[in-house]
Amino acid sequence: MHFRFSYILSKLPMFDAYPNSSLSKMNKNKNSNTTHIFKSIQNIVLILVSLCSVSVSSSTLRRPPPLPILPLPSSPQLQWQLTSMALFFHFGPNTFTDSEWGSGKADPYVFNPTQLNASQWVHVAKEAGFNRVILTAKHHDGFCLWPSDYTEYSVRSSGWRNGSGDVVAELAMAAREAGIGLGLYLSPWDRHESCYGKTLEYNEYYMGQMSELLTSYGDIKEVWLDGAKGEGEKEMEYFFDSWFSLIHQLQPGAVIFSDAGPDTRWIGDEAGVAGSTCWSLFNRSSAKIGGTDPGYSQRGDPQGHDWVPAECDVSIRPGWFWHASEAPKSALQLLDIYYKSVGRNCLLLLNVPPNSSGLISAEDIQVLQEFSELRRSIFSHNLAENALVTASYTRGDVRDNRFDPHNVLEEGIYTYWGPEENQSDWALFLYLEESVSFNVLQVQEPIHMGQRIVAFHLDILNEEGEWKKVINGTTVGYQRLLQFPTVKSKQLRFVVDKSRADPLISYLGIFIDRFSILSMSNTSSHTNVNGSHILHQSLYNHSQIASI
């Protein structure tokens, strides 16, 4: 067992880290011999520490981790959060009738995707960095993409594959072979079945179809349902609690999405945008499927008793089903949505509808490829990866690296920095080898220990030896991404201003985004990503401060 390098650094008089101290003021006087002496001593100590290690007796018992703060995510919720992004496939008769909400009266024979290739769908998802796919197994029109034994209004009555096809089965096999998680959407609203509106009869019908889907196609990672229903439609009481119990019984590893959970919640809009403050904490008793306040859904609830993280759904096209007249969003638009969804503690559910031939359209694929390349260009290299990291306080003694501040440079939520208990000044200091320019901050919490941080900010040390605020933030959760005008520095200070309990940080990263267009920009130039024109972000005045 050895002393931690970062622990010893935290005990040294780092002049620049404390610019108001007497030592710092001495440092500013370039003619001060005392300053040079202190600097020489500091450098000698740093060299000695880096070359030597001090053995310590290992007889002392280790200190346990800090107490988690409730509520906590379940194992399926954790796995869901780690995927970050999923693709939605809206597909059915609407694809062929140029509709969004089908009437339920379309002839089943209109469904005939002659080139359907579910492996292509999954390949597109995987290549673009999506780890889960969700299919509209039944939309509002009641048409089933599997041969259900409870209705004739399904692929069995279509001309596709001579009535012997099964879209759900083909997608399940393709996803399983590619190692991609599968989710299914079974619309509660059904405009075709005559029993809709008869409470007992339709709930039995719905649960019968749910049982088919959850027992015939292997592991299902997510079951997606909502409270959508047009005005003037039949009144219908859904037995949600019975549905949820059945789903968890048949697929215990699945999360259930709805407007109000129980496992993941709707963000409250179809633009893919979460609130700048977004808690995974939520009160299910304060929410109703089909009738939850969108503002409450966007923000979550710092006093919430339930863990119900948010999912941001948005379509790559104006509509949810494929329409020949519509074009996809640009890669830059998707990047902006990414910052406002994945970057705000949510999962991004991006709808990419197959076309009438049964394939993902080439123009959609190109945009997804460009979107993937943008993310790779920005986030593949943490500019602070080789930094020295110290902290205001660190939990435990010098032999225990489980709570070491340097853990924040390791990817993953299961290693983290933890401060000593009963402190109020929570700060991490990063010392880079050289000054770097950056305009994106990434922060992550170990959410298996609960969501804690209420407010934080990032400072940089300027050339005058003074700390200057770069960005404010509120909640973190699984992941927070903040953009700001480009700054340059070699010393950073991350400060937690308020927290529900002792803050824990699992990851800190700084990055340069040369592509996004921020409102503060004053010049631009052009570059190309996979043949598509991308505006190149300009550098900004270093004194500007952004607040989110």
Side-chain angles (χ1 to χ4, degrees):
M1 303 293 285
H2 304 290
F3 279 119
R4 288 171 289 165
F5 184 39
S6 57
Y7 177 87
I8 296 177
L9 283 176
S10 69
K11 303 305 179 185
L12 295 174
M14 288 297 196
F15 308 108
D16 292 340
Y18 305 95
N20 294 323
S21 67
S22 59
L23 290 176
S24 177
K25 293 174 182 176
M26 292 166 58
N27 188 38
K28 294 177 184 177
N29 183 357
K30 302 301 181 183
N31 297 321
S32 171
N33 291 329
T34 307
T35 297
H36 291 303
I37 293 172
F38 271 101
K39 274 290 187 182
S40 298
I41 294 173
Q42 183 188 49
N43 291 334
I44 291 172
V45 173
L46 288 172
I47 293 172
L48 290 174
V49 170
S50 65
L51 294 177
C52 304
S53 61
V54 183
S55 297
V56 178
S57 171
S58 60
S59 60
T60 305
L61 295 176
R62 294 209 306 176
R63 191 170 179 184
L67 192 69
I69 181 169
L70 299 176
L72 299 176
S74 66
S75 178
Q77 286 174 320
L78 269 178
Q79 293 304 311
W80 171 91
Q81 189 81 73
L82 293 172
T83 62
S84 294
M85 299 191 301
L87 278 194
F88 215 165
F89 298 135
H90 274 64
F91 191 54
N94 293 350
T95 308
F96 302 86
T97 60
D98 204 26
S99 305
E100 281 291 304
W101 280 8
S103 65
K105 299 176 182 178
D107 188 331
Y109 255 79
V110 302
F111 183 81
N112 191 21
T114 56
Q115 299 179 55
L116 189 145
N117 185 346
S119 294
Q120 186 239 18
W121 305 359
V122 170
H123 177 77
V124 168
K126 190 171 185 176
E127 287 297 304
F130 292 76
N131 300 307
R132 181 171 296 190
V133 295
I134 301 176
L135 174 69
T136 55
K138 185 189 80 168
H139 203 250
H140 310 324
D141 61 359
F143 185 85
C144 300
L145 295 183
W146 80 102
S148 174
D149 289 337
Y150 296 98
T151 181
E152 290 298 322
Y153 200 56
S154 75
V155 288
R156 181 185 285 122
S157 299
S158 74
W160 176 61
R161 305 237 198 280
N162 296 317
S164 61
D166 186 335
V167 181
V168 178
E170 293 190 24
L171 181 59
M173 179 178 294
R176 186 163 51 249
E177 291 176 350
I180 294 290
L182 175 65
L184 297 172
Y185 169 47
L186 186 66
S187 172
W189 182 28
D190 191 318
R191 306 186 75 182
H192 176 81
E193 288 306 310
S194 59
C195 66
Y196 186 84
K198 302 173 183 177
T199 297
L200 180 61
E201 190 175 345
Y202 181 74
N203 274 278
E204 290 176 342
Y205 172 80
Y206 186 90
M207 293 182 71
Q209 290 197 320
M210 184 66 77
S211 295
E212 286 182 324
L213 290 174
L214 301 186
T215 58
S216 304
Y217 300 102
D219 286 340
I220 304 299
K221 296 300 184 182
E222 184 166 351
V223 175
W224 213 92
L225 52 92
D226 56 21
K229 188 169 70 171
E231 294 183 6
E233 294 291 326
K234 298 175 184 177
E235 291 297 320
M236 181 71 219
E237 179 185 356
Y238 302 131
F239 293 169
F240 285 118
D241 289 341
S242 295
W243 298 1
F244 297 161
S245 294
L246 176 70
I247 294 167
H248 281 151
Q249 179 188 96
L250 298 179
Q251 291 285 346
V255 295
I256 302 171
F257 167 95
S258 81
D259 304 28
D263 301 313
T264 73
R265 73 180 193 267
W266 185 40
I267 200 59
D269 62 52
E270 293 186 343
V273 177
S276 58
T277 294
C278 187
W279 291 95
S280 293
L281 282 60
F282 197 70
N283 272 331
R284 290 186 56 209
S285 60
S286 301
K288 178 182 178 182
I289 298 177
T292 301
D293 172 27
Y296 186 70
S297 297
Q298 284 197 332
R299 295 185 304 270
D301 190 341
Q303 307 301 322
H305 300 297
D306 305 303
W307 184 275
V308 190
E311 190 167 301
C312 297
D313 61 325
V314 63
S315 184
I316 197 172
R317 291 165 172 258
W320 289 87
F321 286 88
W322 178 84
H323 305 287
S325 61
E326 294 181 351
K329 293 176 172 65
S330 70
L332 275 179
Q333 288 176 293
L334 295 187
L335 180 63
D336 182 60
I337 292 171
Y338 181 83
Y339 279 117
K340 295 173 181 176
S341 57
V342 175
R344 293 180 177 176
N345 187 37
C346 299
L347 182 140
L348 171 59
L349 178 58
L350 178 64
N351 179 63
V352 181
N355 59 32
S356 57
S357 68
L359 300 172
I360 305 297
S361 297
E363 57 266 35
D364 294 6
I365 294 175
Q366 180 176 343
V367 169
L368 289 172
Q369 290 173 340
E370 293 170 0
F371 175 44
S372 176
E373 178 61 20
L374 284 174
R375 300 194 322 275
R376 186 202 62 77
S377 298
I378 297 166
F379 297 107
S380 62
H381 176 51
N382 181 0
L383 298 173
E385 65 180 0
N386 294 318
L388 295 177
V389 187
T390 67
S392 52
Y393 302 97
T394 298
R395 183 182 181 87
D397 61 45
V398 296
R399 297 171 298 107
D400 191 349
N401 63 6
R402 291 174 300 156
F403 315 114
D404 194 289
H406 200 268
N407 289 339
V408 302
L409 299 182
E410 297 181 17
E411 294 187 15
I413 65 170
Y414 295 105
T415 56
Y416 54 87
W417 163 70
E420 189 54 84
E421 294 176 336
N422 302 318
Q423 305 297 331
S424 58
D425 297 325
W426 302 305
L428 288 166
F429 300 91
L430 281 72
Y431 306 90
L432 310 181
E433 295 177 348
E434 58 184 6
S435 292
V436 298
S437 297
F438 61 98
N439 53 22
V440 177
L441 171 69
Q442 179 182 6
V443 191
Q444 290 185 277
E445 289 183 271
I447 57 173
H448 60 291
M449 303 291 286
Q451 188 176 356
R452 297 163 178 254
I453 296 175
V454 178
F456 65 90
H457 71 270
L458 177 71
D459 299 329
I460 60 170
L461 199 71
N462 65 15
E463 294 178 353
E464 288 73 40
E466 298 174 337
W467 288 114
K468 292 294 184 181
K469 186 182 293 184
V470 175
I471 191 73
N472 297 324
T474 52
T475 45
V476 175
Y478 173 63
Q479 182 168 230
R480 190 69 193 268
L481 298 172
L482 292 178
Q483 296 173 278
F484 41 85
T486 301
V487 295
K488 186 175 183 178
S489 183
K490 65 182 298 183
Q491 294 193 35
L492 287 66
R493 180 174 66 179
F494 179 83
V495 180
V496 178
D497 300 300
K498 186 177 181 181
S499 186
R500 296 174 64 231
D502 289 336
L504 306 175
I505 305 294
S506 57
Y507 190 70
L508 272 181
I510 55 172
F511 306 89
I512 184 72
D513 177 351
R514 295 185 172 89
F515 310 102
S516 296
I517 309 303
L518 300 182
S519 59
M520 308 82 144
S521 63
N522 46 36
T523 61
S524 64
S525 58
H526 292 277
T527 186
N528 280 288
V529 176
N530 288 348
S532 176
H533 286 294
I534 304 294
L535 288 177
H536 195 337
Q537 182 188 16
S538 62
L539 295 178
Y540 304 94
N541 187 307
H542 294 170
S543 65
Q544 287 181 284
I545 297 176
S547 179
I548 297 181

